[in-house]
């Protein structure tokens, strides 16, 4: 295999395992067995081993001495820490994105929101709901044009979704989060950086308030 194709395979294996973790298919605390994952994904062990190392670096997995890696768990105290940092960085990303987004970008954000709205009356599907929320925030942080900020936020967003409460998926929380997402998009459409920052911060503060109520 050439260096380039092995790098491509490595990225794809990492993406697949990360997706399984974020969808809860590999739940917090579950061991990340390299041989088992390699068999499941039909690849050799070495890209899986690298992907697991990458997940540890991202904070989505932890390694225990002599016990291999397992999916990280995020408790009540940790989710609050993650969200406190996210509030500031999400605000920064939205402010930067406000002056950069094209019409096509705004259409893309509107289509993610439409997909979230279409699911409102359906039963909770944690994997689908997490995926749509991540899609919204991934698009926004990448649109900030700041790769350092985007990288930090990628870690924090993923980590936040390891929290297993009903924060992301109860019907009520999904409805309120959708309203907050819509306010972010409206602020972005206006092109005002400060309004976008405020709307993005308000969304994360809303998540913190919903945690307190749970
Ligand atoms: Zn959100």
């Amino acid at each position: 295999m050439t260096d380039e194709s092995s790098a491509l395979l490595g990225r794809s294996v990492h993406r697949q395992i990360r997706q399984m973790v974020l969808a809860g298919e590999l739940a917090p605390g579950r061991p990340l067995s390299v041989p088992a994952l390699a068999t499941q994904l039909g690849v050799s062990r070495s890209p899986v081993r690298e992907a697991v190392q990458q997940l540890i670096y991202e904070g989505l997995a932890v390694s225990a001495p002599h016990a291999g890696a397992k999916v990280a768990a995020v408790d009540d105290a940790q989710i609050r820490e993650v969200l406190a940092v996210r509030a500031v960085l999400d605000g920064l990303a939205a402010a930067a994105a406000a002056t950069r987004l094209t019409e096509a970008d705004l259409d893309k954000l509107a289509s993610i929101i439409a997909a979230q709205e279409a699911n409102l009356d359906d039963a909770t599907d944690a994997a689908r709901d997490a995926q749509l929320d991540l899609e919204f925030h991934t698009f926004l942080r990448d649109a900030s044009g700041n790769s350092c900020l985007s990288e930090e936020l990628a870690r924090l967003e993923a980590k936040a979704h390891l929290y297993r409460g009903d924060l992301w998926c109860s019907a009520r929380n999904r409805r309120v989060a959708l309203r907050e997402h819509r306010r972010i998009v409206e602020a972005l459409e206006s092109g005002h950086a400060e309004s976008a920052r405020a709307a993005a911060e308000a969304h994360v503060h809303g998540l913190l308030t919903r945690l307190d109520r749970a």
Side-chain angles (χ1 to χ4, degrees):
M1 198 182 281
T2 63
D3 284 357
E4 198 182 332
S5 58
S6 93
L8 266 177
L9 175 67
R11 274 202 293 279
S12 146
V13 168
H14 169 252
R15 198 166 43 236
Q16 287 178 74
I17 302 176
R18 187 174 187 273
Q19 185 52 38
M20 286 155 79
V21 168
L22 292 179
E25 237 172 277
L26 287 167
R30 270 271 297 273
L32 290 168
S33 155
V34 171
L37 285 167
T39 306
Q40 185 180 350
L41 299 175
V43 295
S44 68
R45 291 180 187 188
S46 110
V48 174
R49 206 171 288 121
E50 280 167 30
V52 170
Q53 285 308 314
Q54 177 72 22
L55 292 174
I56 292 172
Y57 169 72
E58 290 168 337
L60 294 181
V62 287
S63 67
H66 313 298
K70 56 184 186 173
V71 180
V74 170
D75 64 20
D76 281 332
Q78 288 166 319
I79 182 78
R80 284 184 169 77
E81 291 181 357
V82 168
L83 291 177
V85 182
R86 243 192 76 176
V88 178
L89 297 190
D90 268 357
L92 199 56
T99 55
R100 295 173 46 97
L101 289 175
T102 63
E103 282 300 317
D105 293 334
L106 289 167
D107 287 348
K108 171 68 188 166
L109 283 169
S111 77
I112 300 171
I113 286 187
Q116 288 182 312
E117 184 161 25
N119 290 329
L120 272 189
D121 296 323
D122 296 347
T124 289
D125 174 340
R128 173 205 65 200
D129 298 334
Q131 183 53 40
L132 284 170
D133 187 62
L134 283 166
E135 220 179 289
F136 180 81
H137 291 284
T138 301
F139 193 84
L140 201 51
R141 65 173 155 77
D142 287 346
S144 72
N146 180 332
S147 59
C148 173
L149 175 60
S150 192
E151 221 172 272
E152 292 304 326
L153 272 172
R155 264 210 292 272
L156 292 168
E157 280 158 15
K159 203 150 183 186
H161 275 279
L162 284 184
Y163 180 75
R164 292 281 171 254
D166 68 357
L167 180 61
W168 308 109
C169 51
S170 80
R172 183 180 180 281
N173 285 348
R174 279 190 283 151
R175 196 171 295 278
V176 183
L178 173 64
R179 201 156 61 215
E180 291 164 353
H181 283 180
R182 199 172 277 132
R183 289 204 188 110
I184 296 173
V185 175
E186 282 163 9
L188 290 167
E189 279 166 352
S190 77
H192 292 147
E194 286 315 309
S195 317
R197 184 199 307 274
E201 284 179 357
H203 173 40
V204 184
H205 290 148
L207 289 165
L208 279 162
T209 304
R210 295 196 278 287
L211 267 177
D212 289 337
R213 281 207 201 109

